[in-house]
Amino acid sequence: MEFALVLLVIAVVFVSQSIKVVPQQNAWVVERLGKYNATLTPGLNFLVPFVDRVAYKHSLKEIPLDVPSQVCITRDNTQLQVDGILYFQVTDPMRASYGSSNYIMAVTQLAQTSLRSVIGKLELDKTFEERDIINAQVVAAIDEAALNWGVKVLRYEIKDLTPPAEILRSMQAQITAEREKRALIAASEGRRQEQINIATGEREAFIARSEGEKQAAINQAQGEAAAITAVADATAQAIALVASAIRQPGGDQAVQLKVAERAVDAYSKVAADAKTTLIVPSNMTDVATLIGSAMQMIHLPTPKA
């Protein structure tokens, strides 16, 4: 009975030493008699009891590593308190086991030194503007060295950049001055645009008024020209009718009669005015002749002169 119990214990130990189940996204490094033998993949694996042993266990997942905060000096000799987070992944379990005694500490220290080197090449203002460039340069510097450790650096992110309190106050003052400058510029631009709008409005109004006056003058001139043309046409038609009438039989006598009547009317109006001194021509035969011609036109006896 005791012998059977001993055999059972030996069998359990043998099975536990020979059968290994590796979880997903993990890799186990196996040594045989103290020397690297194989890397166990996820699933069921078999070992030689008391000869093989699992020396290292690695997770193949992406690992976030908090990089401790440190003081970096910029190109313009300004101190910055910088902290970040690093993301890496074990890609070669054998190198991760034997390439470095502690690859996590190695990656952390290399991230800090690389960050100090990159920050030292930039001025203070650039460190806030070019975070993506800083992150990319840190990743490139770490990844080149981490290949020997079986580690792939995926990305690095700066969590916080904290300058000294004096720098913060001066930066705040600079930001305030810049905002006040922008406000003044915006106000002056507004006044300038307002003056431009007023001047443009006045110019357009003046142009509109001048165009209206011009059109009114044109219309008036055209109206006057039309009136003159109409009067001229009417006068021409009247003259043409008179000329046509004159050419008819007795037309000359009618004209002479009309002239005599107009002459008599003119003398009558002048004589009727008490304030007017009438000077009678010495040769009255012309008037008598004029009146006689008029009388002959209507067949009346001519009065004696």
Side-chain angles (χ1 to χ4, degrees), residues 39-54:
T39 300
L40 301 183
T41 58
L44 183 62
N45 296 271
F46 296 94
L47 303 178
V48 178
F50 307 108
V51 177
D52 296 337
R53 74 180 186 91
V54 177

Side-chain angles (χ1 to χ4, degrees), residues 255-271 278 281 284 286-292 294:
V255 171
Q256 294 175 5
L257 177 60
K258 193 66 174 177
V259 171
E261 289 177 353
R262 290 293 181 91
V264 172
D265 290 340
Y267 277 110
S268 299
K269 291 180 179 179
V270 173
L278 181 62
M284 295 296 294
D286 294 336
V287 179
T289 303
L290 181 61
I291 296 174

Side-chain angles (χ1 to χ4, degrees), residues 174-185:
Q174 181 180 1
I175 293 173
T176 302
E178 184 67 24
R179 290 179 178 175
E180 292 177 352
K181 174 185 175 183
R182 291 179 182 177
L184 292 174
I185 292 174

